[in-house]
Amino acid sequence: MSKTFSIGGIHPKDNKISVKAAIENFPVMETAYISMSQHLGAPAEPVVAKGDKVKTGQLIAKANGFISANIHSSVSGTVSAIELMPDLAGNLVQHVVVKVEGDEWDEKIDRSPEIVREIKLSPSEIIAKIADCGIVGLGGAAFPTHIKLSPPPGKKAEFLVMNGAECEPYLTSDYRIMLENPEEILIGTRIMMTALGVKKAYVGIEDNKPKAIKAMKELCSKSYRDIKIVSLQKKYPQGGEKQLIDAILGRQVPSMGLPIDTGVVVQNVGTALAVYEAVQKNKPLFEGVVTVTGKCMTEQRNFRMRVGTTFESMLFAVGGFPKDAEKLVSGGPMMGKAVARIEAASVKSTSALLLLTEEETKRKPEGNCIRCAKCVDACPMGLEPFLLNRLSRAGRIDDLEANLVQDCIECGSCLYVCPANIPLLDTIRLSKASVLKIMRSRPKK
Amino acid sequence: MTTTIIFTIASLSLLGLVLALILYFTAQKFKVVEDPRIDDVETILPGANCGGCGFAGCRAFAEGCVKADSLDGLFCPVGGNDTMKKVAGYLGVTVADKAPQVAVVRCNGNCDSRPKSSNYDGYTSCAVMANLYSGDTDCRYGCLGQGDCEISCDFDAIKMNPRTGLPEVDEEKCTACGACVKACPKFIIELRNKGPKGKRIFVSCINKDKGGVAKKACAVACIGCTKCQKVCAYDAITISSNLAYIDYNKCKLCRKCVVECPTNAIWEVNFPVRVPKRETADVEQQ
Amino acid sequence: MKKLIVSPAPHLHGKETTKSLMRDVVIALVPSLLVSVYYFGFSAIKLALVGIATAVLVEYVIQRYIVKTKITINDYSAALTGLLLSLNLPPNSPWWIMFIGSVVAIGIAKMTFGGVGQNLFNPALVGRVFLLVSFPVIMTDYSIPSSWFREGIDAGSGATALSIVKESLAKGMTMDQIFSQNDFSYAQMLFSKIGGSVGEVSAFALILGFIYLLIRKVIKPHIPLAIVGTVIVFSGIFWLIDPTHYTDPLFNVLTGGILIGSIFMATDYVTSPMSNKGMIIYGIGIGLITMLIRNWGAYPEGISFAILILNACVPLINMYFKPVRFGKGVKHG
């Protein structure tokens, strides 16, 4: 019997229509627009100037501050500009624009296909290497990985939990890498186990991916006995880190807590692959697997794509903009961001470009709340979205805090199930931000 | 029969008496000594409880007035100078006149001059929309048109115009409490001096983009061309990051800049009609 | 370039709507309606039609001409109220009783509070209780009208099993005597020809509807099970103590309005609690008050009053019984 998390959850149709498409290399574009703000935290500081020649994999921006990450060039060519450009939401972010000339890789990068199994580095060397290579969490939040692998003093990691759930409908990028690079993922997991000093790791995979489970299990039983593959029921949001820990280990992260409070560090399988490439192959994070999919498209593809590719060129590569597509989403349909500017470029954590039709995505007019409690049943954090929505609209910050709005993981389950189409998450997200601001401004006891 | 009535009346009266005594002694025991002047000042105030003064409500403001040594920095925007004079007269202090202010919307881009580039489909709230992205037009600074300002106004003084998609301020009703200024996530609304007979001139745009970008996104954007600055004889216009700003304390209402502006981004309000007539300038009057 | 839709996540939405949920409840009532048509013939159809038509019409008139809001008659909620009310009337009720009941249910209990989702009390029950206290004679006359489908029904008792028991007990009879004079077998109650309101006649049909609602995940089983469980426990205790003066638990569950009340009335979304714990508390409360009224109250049946009383407690229940929060009460680390 597959495991799952204990509270709430929904079952949207998984629509993984691109499962069969093998990963192919996306052609290198003419110009790369590399954002300086590809991770959570402070934007990186460019270390190149206009006119400089850069190679693929060369450092072009340094981490700026504690929570930040290095950024490397994804192409080789000449820096043609360093300027403010709109990101996918239209907000201005500093970009390094590189005019592509050929594809010359940095000579330090090991491009041979052999799998390097032996881990030679010490934990601190591993973490330094990961920081150097600018690895960030590829599960969506893009939190710098080297910080996650260095637990704060006084906290000790017991287990490493790998997220291969891919609970979002449509997405198949994690599935494809688990199928095509299972051993690299397991080595990457071992590297992170070494860095954390933990003895046991779990990989959670939803049971709608039996091939991936089988491939990974076979490898584990042969030579990776300290890593256990856990089959999970298909349920959204299984890939939320708190839900994943609950599903696999039966431990619940306390309110306002982090996974490390329960002795667990959660990483995505995509991150494991990036860590493997960084530590064993010296390859910084400058490309990733991106699913380009949608019901309105004739073909579904999985691309290995350089950072800084514009959404426009992705559309161009799959045959242009389909007529009935009305919304572009970067990431999964439940938590991804709608693309407002197709001239914006992909970032490290871009996992998919999803095209949705009006019928699939358009919101229906809002009705009265009939208090059916579907949102309460769906909430994986055990909150009451209907109440939080009402309190948010009334601006009752104290009551919102008492009803734990700060615990909301913004998974969107409440808005998905609401029969009256009330924009629950829209209002909750807003009030959550103001409650968190007030909570953080309070003196710590 | 009669005994029942008598008993009923007697017992109820007794009960009333006992409860009255309890209430009386409780009130005496837990009496809070408060400056009686606070009550009087509160009655002078308009009682809108809008918070425009910076206090939690009218009573808190009254308390603030009574406790303060002078009324400097204390101002009730709703009551205006009249109310403040009354308060000052009651408290026996003096108060300086403050120029009356009014909320001014500094975005001019209606549906025609600033075409939409995407369709927003979420909760009708500027705050939610501003959190999500830069807006449904190519202008990243302009009004989002979801009407947070209208909801925030206690006086029914700011209304969304469905034709232009922009809010409009009713000068008669606006008390300059500043609620809309706080509500607007794009910081478009500003409190400006009302000016003599309501005459005022302001730049109705806050687009800080370079001229070309701004003009492409919106036909009536300020492009930072500095023409108005050059023509101004009173040094009232400053230009920073491609945006002109008119200092209302220095502006002498000569109207030269209004004519000079190539994009009609500078507005004049409540001036007599001049020949040749400028269309945009009269929109707010209508 | 085409204008893209931009909205906050999530970008997908479920298929359920207020309309589909309400329609499912109406469908779940169809078996009961069919059984009642079989037993009571034209009378049952007449009541259902008058009820639904009046409810929808009243809602339309109020929304269109009085409060001038969006018309919501398409979402089946008014129709559901009318249908439920019709199933809660005695089969021989005149049409104007149904009309008044529907007007009260929609006009007073629903629309005055602001329409769908805003009402504090279950509209159909308010309608029924209003009729019960205003027209006690008509509302307790359970004589069976002539039916197209069945002739020569052994009708005429004009009383429900519960009222027979109550009156007989008042006359000083013991349970054995009452049961020997009346035919109260369980099979009878399941498929029923015992007097009762239109929808109460067949427990089996109601349970069929319940199963449908559970399969479609329209309702959760907590409230009905809590009510029935409480009724069984409560009546069981008294029955074990004194079987000559108290009816047995199964009799209590199968007669009267326990089933229709717990399955269709108490589970009304708007007037029931939101959390599982709250639902159980609510169900227990309804069960208790029902049994108190049945055993010692003036009325033979009390579930309508019980549900309305607990409706009033729902905001309080919602405040104190929260869902199980993630990360509460679980050991960390």
Side-chain angles (χ1 to χ4, degrees), chain A residues 20-34:
Chain A
K20 293 221 171 68
I23 300 171
E24 48 194 313
N25 283 324
F26 191 85
V28 180
M29 52 284 179
E30 283 170 12
T31 316
Y33 303 90
I34 302 165

Side-chain angles (χ1 to χ4, degrees), chain B residues 9 51 61 70-71 81 92 94 99 116 124-125 156 194 207 216-217 228 242 274:
Chain B
I9 292 171
F61 181 67
S70 83
L71 290 180
N81 287 326
T94 52
K116 295 235 180 300
T124 316
S125 152
D156 215 14
K194 223 168 182 171
N207 192 324
K216 207 172 152 193
C228 50
N242 306 311
R274 76 165 107 192

Side-chain angles (χ1 to χ4, degrees), chain C residues 74-95:
Chain C
N74 284 332
D75 67 7
Y76 284 88
S77 65
L80 178 61
T81 302
L83 181 61
L84 266 177
L85 182 57
S86 81
L87 291 175
N88 268 286
L89 294 187
N92 225 1
S93 314
W95 68 270

Side-chain angles (χ1 to χ4, degrees), chain A residues 7 242-243 246 251-254 261-262 321-323 325-327 329 333-340 342 356 360-363 366 368-374 376-377 380-384 386-387 403-404 412 415-416 419-420 425-426 429, chain C residues 1-19 21-22 70 114-120 216-220 269-276 279 314-315 318 321-328 330-333:
Chain A
I7 302 173
K242 293 180 181 177
Q243 276 62 39
D246 184 23
R251 295 182 179 185
Q252 292 192 346
V253 180
D261 296 334
T262 58
F321 199 90
K323 267 211 178 70
E326 289 290 338
K327 191 193 261 177
V329 179
M334 297 302 291
M335 287 184 83
K337 281 183 175 158
V339 177
I342 59 164
L356 295 170
E360 278 179 289
T361 188
K362 184 88 178 162
R363 293 195 184 181
E366 181 185 351
N368 275 356
C369 172
I370 54 166
R371 294 188 244 167
C372 62
K374 300 249 175 218
V376 180
D377 291 339
M381 298 305 289
L383 308 178
E384 298 154 290
F386 79 100
L387 179 68
N403 283 292
L404 303 172
L415 210 160
Y416 177 86
L425 183 56
D426 295 5
R429 198 184 273 127
Chain C
M1 181 56 211
K2 187 182 206 167
K3 277 187 224 166
L4 293 169
I5 299 177
V6 179
S7 68
H11 307 288
L12 294 181
H13 305 285
K15 296 270 180 293
E16 271 173 348
T17 59
T18 305
K19 192 173 166 176
L21 293 172
M22 294 293 169
K70 210 171 60 189
V116 62
Q118 313 283 323
N119 47 306
L120 189 57
R216 297 280 295 163
K217 292 194 176 150
V218 175
I219 62 168
K220 291 194 285 180
Y269 284 147
V270 182
T271 54
S272 63
M274 307 290 273
S275 68
N276 293 349
M279 287 179 180
V314 164
N318 277 341
F321 296 92
K322 295 290 183 186
V324 181
R325 309 287 200 199
F326 188 91
K328 278 279 160 68
V330 176
K331 255 188 88 180
H332 322 122

Side-chain angles (χ1 to χ4, degrees), chain A residues 2-75:
Chain A
S2 302
K3 291 180 172 182
T4 190
F5 53 97
S6 49
I7 302 173
I10 55 171
H11 300 89
K13 195 160 178 291
D14 65 356
N15 276 326
K16 307 250 183 203
I17 41 185
S18 53
V19 278
K20 293 221 171 68
I23 300 171
E24 48 194 313
N25 283 324
F26 191 85
V28 180
M29 52 284 179
E30 283 170 12
T31 316
Y33 303 90
I34 302 165
S35 165
M36 293 296 105
S37 183
Q38 308 197 21
H39 42 261
L40 215 70
E45 186 77 29
V47 293
V48 289
K50 192 178 164 182
D52 285 3
K53 291 266 182 215
V54 291
K55 287 179 188 167
T56 307
Q58 184 185 327
L59 184 77
I60 54 170
K62 266 187 116 63
N64 185 14
F66 177 62
I67 299 181
S68 188
N70 285 348
I71 290 169
H72 300 78
S73 176
S74 58
V75 291

Side-chain angles (χ1 to χ4, degrees), chain B residues 138-161:
Chain B
D138 282 338
C139 173
R140 292 180 299 109
Y141 303 91
C143 177
L144 298 171
Q146 305 291 325
D148 277 13
C149 47
E150 183 175 344
I151 295 167
S152 74
C153 186
D154 284 342
F155 305 98
D156 215 14
I158 190 161
K159 284 260 169 58
M160 294 304 295
N161 183 338

